Amino acid sequence: MLLLALDTATPAVTVALHDGDSVVAESTQVDARRHGELLLPSVDRVLASAGLTLDAVTGLVVGVGPGPYTGLRVGLVTAATFGSALGVPVHGLCTLDGLAYASGLEEPFVVATDARRKEVYWARYDGSRTRVGEPAVDRPAEIAEEVAGLPAVGAGALLYPEVFPYARGPEHQSAAALAALAAGKLAAGDELLPPRPLYLRRPDAQVPKNYKVVTPQ
């Protein structure tokens, strides 16, 4: 097994290689505006660090979000393209699950990432591998009672200390954690998600109202 994992659902552009036992190489850069520019060089850097080429990859793992439309689709399209070119499977994992796994917590806690618009993408967990319910997007004040007293990880939690007073790291997504989680699930025969985006809301870009259609005369 040689899994190439990548995630662009958050400001982190993160890539890792996992050989089924451990992470072979990884790269993470945090830049919310340069996902498309940074992802492929990151893949090249990780492969070069491991002394491997892309055709050695036997499967791909991609974070499916939740996340903003523009950044999230960069990773998903890249993973789908690699999978098609190599003829290997492409597996999806919830981005929040990767952060939860990286936390190492084995008690009830919350993962929250920045959803912009003064909202967070979030989910509750009973442990680093066990999510409770489906991810959601809400204003922090609207979920204050649900998350009260719980440790929280992720950049979204750190942005709103009044709601997440027990916020801690990791702040950013790690493809290394995502790859390790996926490798464990695959080894156990668990079914992963299809590589389809989990947006939870409509994209920021909208067709202007009262748009005037101009047709040639």
Side-chain angles (χ1 to χ4, degrees):
M1 176 188 293
L2 185 65
L3 292 175
L4 175 64
L6 50 94
D7 196 319
T8 58
T10 71
V13 179
T14 180
V15 179
L17 276 173
H18 196 287
D19 65 4
D21 293 317
S22 61
V23 174
V24 178
E26 61 182 297
S27 170
T28 298
Q29 296 172 275
V30 179
D31 191 326
R33 298 181 180 275
R34 300 173 64 210
H35 293 89
E37 181 180 344
L38 295 175
L39 182 56
L40 291 180
S42 295
V43 171
D44 287 343
R45 185 164 54 252
V46 165
L47 288 168
S49 177
L52 298 168
T53 56
L54 187 60
D55 58 6
V57 170
T58 61
L60 289 109
V61 180
V62 61
V64 300
Y69 177 80
T70 302
L72 179 54
R73 67 178 179 173
V74 170
L76 286 163
V77 169
T78 300
T81 301
F82 283 165
S84 177
L86 297 171
V88 300
V90 182
H91 309 284
L93 272 181
C94 174
T95 294
L96 303 183
D97 290 357
L99 277 159
Y101 185 78
S103 76
L105 291 171
E106 296 305 333
E107 60 184 282
F109 68 100
V110 179
V111 174
T113 60
D114 183 15
R116 305 173 186 170
R117 304 183 191 175
K118 298 182 179 179
E119 295 178 329
V120 292
Y121 296 117
W122 70 285
R124 287 187 56 166
Y125 291 79
D126 276 344
S128 62
R129 295 171 177 262
T130 308
R131 175 159 37 88
V132 180
E134 297 299 318
V137 58
D138 291 289
R139 288 181 178 271
E142 295 171 347
I143 60 173
E145 291 187 8
E146 294 182 66
V147 304
L150 294 176
V153 302
L158 293 168
L159 280 173
Y160 302 98
E162 69 280 6
V163 175
F164 304 101
Y166 306 108
R168 47 168 287 176
E171 179 178 358
H172 297 294
Q173 174 68 312
S174 161
L178 200 71
L181 178 60
K185 286 180 174 291
L186 290 170
D190 295 342
E191 185 174 348
L192 303 187
L193 297 173
R196 292 197 292 266
L198 184 62
Y199 291 129
L200 299 188
R201 69 183 184 201
R202 296 176 64 83
D204 292 335
Q206 301 288 335
V207 176
K209 293 182 179 179
N210 303 317
Y211 181 75
K212 184 178 180 180
V213 178
V214 178
T215 57
Q217 298 295 325

